[in-house]
Amino acid sequence: MIPPVMKEFINGHLPESLLETRVIREKDGKCRLELTHQDEQLLSTIGITADKLGPYLVALLWDEASDLEIGGYMVVDNLSMGTPAMGGIRMLPDITPLDIHNLARGMTLKNGAANLPFGGGKSGIVAPDRAVGPEEHQEIVRGWAKLLKKYTKIYVPGPDVGTNDADMKTVAVENGMDFALSKPADMGGNRIDELGGAAGGVVIALQTLLEVMPRLKMLPQFGDLEVPGPDQVTVMFQGFGAVGAHAARIMLEPDRLPQAKTVGLSDAEGYLYNPDRLPVADLFQMWKEKGVVTRAFYETQVAPQGRKSPYKFSTKPNDLLREDAFCLVPASSLFRYLGLEESEGASMLVSRMGDYRLIVEGANTYSPDPIKKALRARMEQVVYQQKGVMIANDYLVNSGGVIFAAQEYVVPTPEHLQIPADRLGKPQAVQEWLGQNAAEYTELSDRRRESAEAWREKVIRTNMIELVDLLTTNAEMLPCKAAEQISLGRLSAKDQKRSARDIMIPIATVPITAQLQEVARKIVESGRSLAAVVNEGGLMAGVINTWGITQSLSHSSECASLLVRDVMTSPAVTVEPSDPIAAILAKLEENRISAVPVVEGGKVLGVINTDILASRYYRTGLQ
C-alpha cells in the first residue's frame, strides 16, 4: 500500500487530473509518476525548483499490492559526470520530494568534487510513523528495490540515514550485484559505514587544512590566526554516529592526528565536553554497542565523581556548539547547524556560538533552494568574513563515502562473479552462491578498499588546497561559492570531453514486421517517445515514434493490419557513439527532432534525447 503520509502529500500537492493521466499502474500493483525538468510547474508544486543543472528525473513510486507501506521518491538530478547517478537511500517517516532533491543535488556536486564518473541521485523511502522491526524493515527495503528495478540504468543506490550496508545486500539480491553500492564484504563490497568512508575524508580534510590554513593570514579576518600544532588541536563532533564516531576513531591512527584532542561530542541524548580530552576509544566501543553514548557515559563515569569531574554533560545536544574548540565537525543529520535568526531553525545562533576557527562539514548541508542558499551565504558572511572561521564545505569534505561506494563500479565485478539470473530475488540461493565464491569476493573487496583509500586521499587533499587557493586570491569570495566553483568546474570540464557513448540511455527496439498496435504498447511501457526499428538481421532499419503511431492509427480503418514497416521513418537520423555532445546537439536542432539513436555498424546502442541534454551543465551552465 502507499504510505498514508505519501498519499496525503500527493493528494495535497498534485491535481487529480494529473494523477489520472500520468500515473502508470502496472499489473502487479507497482505505480509510478515521473516528472522531468520540462514539468517545471508541477515540480514547483511539490517544492522543487528546476534549474540549469536539473533535476533530470523525479519519480514518485509506490506499491499498491503490498500489505506493507512501501513508497517514496527517487531523484536523478544530473548526469554530467556520467551514468548512472549514485546516491543513498534515506528512510524516514517525514521525507518529501524536496528533501530528496536537495540531497541529490548534493550528490551531483559531491561526485563532481570527487571527480567520479557518475551523476548525482538520491532516493527516499517514506517509513511508517511507528517502530518497525528488523523483518518488516527488510521487506520494505526489498519492496523499494523492486520499485527501483526499472531505473537501474540511471540510478544506483547506497546506504543513507535509516538504511545500512546490510540493506544494500537486500537490494543486490533483488536487482543484481551492480545495482547496489556499499555492499557487505561477502559481496565484494566497500562498506562505507563499517570502514568509515566518509569519516576518513573529514580527517584528511582536517590534516590538510592544518597545513595550508596559515596562508589565510593574508586575509584581514584571519590576521590573528594561530594554527595549533598536532598536539594542540582540539575538535568537537556535533553528532557521534557513522561519521562522527568513526572520524574521532580514525583521528587516533598513527598516520593521522593521534595527538589531537576530541574535547566534545553530542548525540540524541545530550552532549559531553572535557577541555582536556574525551576517551575516544572507550566512547567508540560504547557507541558500537549502544548507538548513543552521552547519557550512559555520564551516568557511569561522570556522575560518580561528583563535582571533581572535569566533564560537562547536558541533555541539550545543540548546546555543544556553545563550547570552545579549534575545530567543529558538524556530523549529524541536522541540515543547518548555525543561523543568524531563531526563525531559521538552526542548531545554534551565530551570536551564541563558541570560539572556533575551523568548521569541517561532515554532514550534508547543501541545498539548491534559493532561499536556503541565501541564508547560507548570510551565515558565512558573519562566521567566515567577520569572525574569521574557516569553513570547509560538505561535498568537498565528506565525499569519502561516495568515493568508497563508487569503487564497486570503478573496480568492476568480474562477469563470473555476477549473481546468476535464476538466483535473483532468492536470498537463500544468493547466499549459497556467495559462499561458493567467498575467497574471490573477499579479494575483490580488498582491492576496492585500497583503490578507495588512494582516491579519497588524493581528491580531498586537492579539494582543500583548491578551496584555500580560491579564498586567498579573492577576499570577497565565500566558502560556499568557492566550493560550488570547484565542483561545477569539474562537471563542465568532464562534459567537454564526453561523447554519445557516455550519455546515451537504453532505447526500445521493435522488429520491422511487428504489428503496430503491439509496438504502441511496447513504446508506452518503455517510457520513451521513440523506438528503433530493426530488420531480420538485427540492424537499424528506421525509427518509429508515438506521434507517428497516433497519426497512423487515427487515420486508418484497418489498424489491426498495420505493420511497423508501413509507418516507420527511414532512413533515420543517427549519431555514432564517438560523436561529441556539441555535434549531437547541433544535429538535433538542425533536424528539429527531440531524440536520436546511437548506432555503430548498423547496431542500435542507445538513444540521446533533449531531456538528457537540457539537464546537463555544458548546455548553459549554472547562473
Side-chain angles (χ1 to χ4, degrees):
M1 70 182 77
I2 183 171
V5 173
M6 182 179 181
K7 184 176 182 179
E8 182 180 351
F9 178 88
I10 291 174
N11 291 338
H13 289 78
L14 295 172
E16 186 175 345
S17 59
L18 174 80
L19 302 179
E20 293 175 354
T21 58
R22 293 280 294 270
V23 173
I24 300 172
R25 289 181 164 84
E26 307 287 355
K27 293 179 180 179
D28 60 1
K30 295 182 178 65
C31 302
R32 65 183 188 273
L33 171 60
E34 299 177 347
L35 303 174
T36 72
H37 72 284
Q38 294 178 332
D39 297 304
E40 187 172 346
Q41 185 173 353
L42 290 173
L43 288 172
S44 69
T45 65
I46 59 174
I48 296 174
T49 301
D51 60 26
K52 294 172 182 178
L53 273 182
Y56 169 72
L57 176 67
V58 176
L60 288 68
L61 309 169
W62 65 94
D63 187 346
E64 289 184 339
S66 175
D67 293 333
L68 299 175
E69 297 176 19
I70 299 177
Y73 314 105
M74 182 203 74
V75 176
V76 174
D77 179 53
N78 183 280
L79 297 170
S80 291
M81 292 297 290
T83 305
M86 291 185 175
I89 300 174
R90 184 160 288 202
M91 185 172 175
L92 293 171
D94 56 352
I95 57 171
T96 67
L98 176 59
D99 296 331
I100 303 305
H101 176 237
N102 287 345
L103 293 165
R105 175 56 54 83
M107 292 305 302
T108 294
L109 297 174
K110 189 177 293 187
N111 288 341
N115 205 25
L116 291 167
F118 305 108
K122 206 80 174 183
S123 69
I125 301 172
V126 180
D129 191 13
R130 55 178 170 77
V132 174
E135 291 185 6
E136 184 179 0
H137 174 95
Q138 185 179 50
E139 288 307 308
I140 291 174
V141 172
R142 191 184 312 281
W144 184 246
K146 293 176 180 179
L147 291 171
L148 291 179
K149 195 162 190 173
K150 174 180 172 56
Y151 303 100
T152 52
K153 297 296 183 183
I154 61 170
Y155 170 66
V156 179
D160 196 76
V161 176
T163 61
N164 55 35
D165 299 341
D167 293 325
M168 296 308 103
K169 184 173 184 176
T170 299
V171 175
V173 167
E174 291 298 322
N175 294 347
M177 194 69 77
D178 288 341
F179 304 118
L181 303 172
S182 188
K183 299 181 291 291
D186 68 349
M187 279 187 158
N190 227 358
R191 303 83 65 206
I192 296 173
D193 292 343
E194 181 183 335
L195 297 172
V202 171
V203 178
I204 293 167
L206 174 55
Q207 280 184 288
T208 308
L209 288 166
L210 291 175
E211 298 172 14
V212 301
M213 274 184 68
R215 290 157 51 192
L216 292 171
K217 295 186 73 170
M218 66 178 64
L219 299 174
Q221 68 268 38
F222 291 100
D224 64 343
L225 175 65
E226 294 184 6
V227 179
D231 60 336
Q232 296 297 316
V233 174
T234 55
V235 186
M236 299 191 303
F237 293 94
Q238 182 196 21
F240 200 69
V243 175
H246 277 287
R249 171 189 63 80
I250 293 170
M251 211 163 61
L252 296 177
E253 294 178 356
D255 59 340
R256 296 304 177 191
L257 293 165
Q259 295 177 299
K261 304 171 185 176
T262 294
V263 297
L265 63 87
S266 65
D267 59 21
E269 296 185 344
Y271 86 84
L272 286 170
Y273 183 80
N274 183 343
D276 296 325
R277 185 189 295 268
L278 294 176
V280 168
D282 294 341
L283 289 165
F284 182 80
Q285 187 59 38
M286 184 181 291
W287 169 74
K288 288 178 64 177
E289 296 170 358
K290 300 178 179 295
V292 288
V293 301
T294 55
R295 181 181 292 275
F297 186 85
Y298 168 75
E299 291 176 347
T300 59
Q301 305 295 322
V302 179
Q305 297 183 44
R307 296 183 178 181
K308 297 179 181 179
S309 173
Y311 291 92
K312 182 188 293 185
F313 169 74
S314 169
T315 57
K316 298 179 179 179
N318 289 341
D319 280 357
L320 174 69
L321 276 68
R322 294 174 180 263
E323 305 290 356
D324 299 338
F326 178 76
C327 176
L328 169 69
V329 177
S332 75
S333 59
L334 299 172
F335 174 76
R336 186 174 292 108
Y337 56 95
L338 287 175
L340 299 184
E341 299 175 5
E342 293 281 2
S343 59
E344 296 177 32
S347 301
M348 181 58 57
L349 291 177
V350 169
S351 60
R352 300 174 186 168
M353 63 183 278
D355 183 11
Y356 22 94
R357 299 306 301 267
L358 172 63
I359 298 172
V360 178
E361 295 182 346
N364 293 321
T365 64
Y366 179 84
S367 171
D369 178 78
I371 295 175
K372 292 180 179 178
K373 289 180 74 172
L375 290 175
R376 170 64 186 231
R378 286 181 57 208
M379 182 274 281
E380 289 194 358
Q381 286 169 353
V382 176
V383 174
Y384 169 75
Q385 288 187 329
Q386 296 179 22
K387 290 180 172 288
V389 179
M390 173 62 189
I391 301 174
N393 303 78
D394 60 346
Y395 51 85
L396 297 185
V397 167
N398 65 21
S399 56
V402 71
I403 290 171
F404 268 58
Q407 302 311 305
E408 295 179 32
Y409 260 67
V410 174
V411 181
T413 303
E415 189 62 34
H416 72 279
L417 290 181
Q418 298 286 355
I419 301 172
D422 60 356
R423 295 182 185 243
L424 290 176
K426 304 172 184 176
Q428 185 173 347
V430 171
Q431 196 58 47
E432 291 173 356
W433 170 262
L434 297 177
Q436 294 166 10
N437 298 277
E440 288 192 80
Y441 282 121
T442 298
E443 189 274 334
L444 179 61
S445 180
D446 288 341
R447 283 196 288 125
R448 286 169 166 168
R449 176 184 52 77
E450 292 170 1
S451 175
E453 289 172 349
W455 193 304
R456 180 182 63 183
E457 188 82 28
K458 179 180 179 181
V459 161
I460 295 180
R461 282 189 62 84
T462 299
N463 286 347
M464 295 302 97
I465 293 170
E466 289 187 9
L467 178 62
V468 171
D469 282 346
L470 282 173
L471 294 174
T472 54
T473 55
N474 185 347
E476 300 303 314
M477 181 171 282
L478 296 172
C480 61
K481 293 297 184 182
E484 197 170 69
Q485 183 172 318
I486 291 169
S487 187
L488 293 180
R490 289 180 188 159
L491 265 65
S492 178
K494 195 80 171 182
D495 259 333
Q496 292 173 11
K497 299 176 182 178
R498 301 185 72 77
S499 64
R501 188 187 301 277
D502 298 315
I503 67 167
M504 65 184 182
I505 58 176
I507 184 174
T509 58
V510 298
I512 194 170
T513 55
Q515 291 186 330
L516 193 58
Q517 288 182 321
E518 176 187 341
V519 168
R521 286 194 296 271
K522 186 170 184 178
I523 292 180
V524 169
E525 290 172 358
S526 74
R528 313 280 184 229
S529 62
L530 183 77
V533 181
V534 295
N535 60 26
E536 292 80 356
L539 300 180
M540 176 86 171
V543 295
I544 186 168
N545 58 37
T546 52
W547 184 86
I549 291 173
T550 302
Q551 291 296 305
S552 299
L553 293 178
S554 64
H555 289 88
S556 175
S557 59
E558 300 179 355
C559 297
S561 63
L562 283 176
L563 302 179
V564 169
R565 72 171 69 203
D566 300 324
V567 300
M568 72 179 187
T569 300
S570 181
V573 177
T574 64
V575 297
E576 295 186 357
S578 59
D579 285 352
I581 292 174
I584 298 166
L585 182 59
K587 185 168 284 192
L588 287 169
E589 293 176 345
E590 177 185 343
N591 291 276
R592 297 184 179 181
I593 54 179
S594 60
V596 58
V598 182
V599 179
E600 185 175 38
K603 292 283 188 180
V604 183
L605 304 181
V607 66
I608 296 170
N609 59 40
T610 51
D611 280 355
I612 295 176
L613 295 172
S615 69
R616 302 180 68 80
Y617 173 74
Y618 76 85
R619 182 96 182 254
T620 51
L622 179 66
Q623 302 301 318

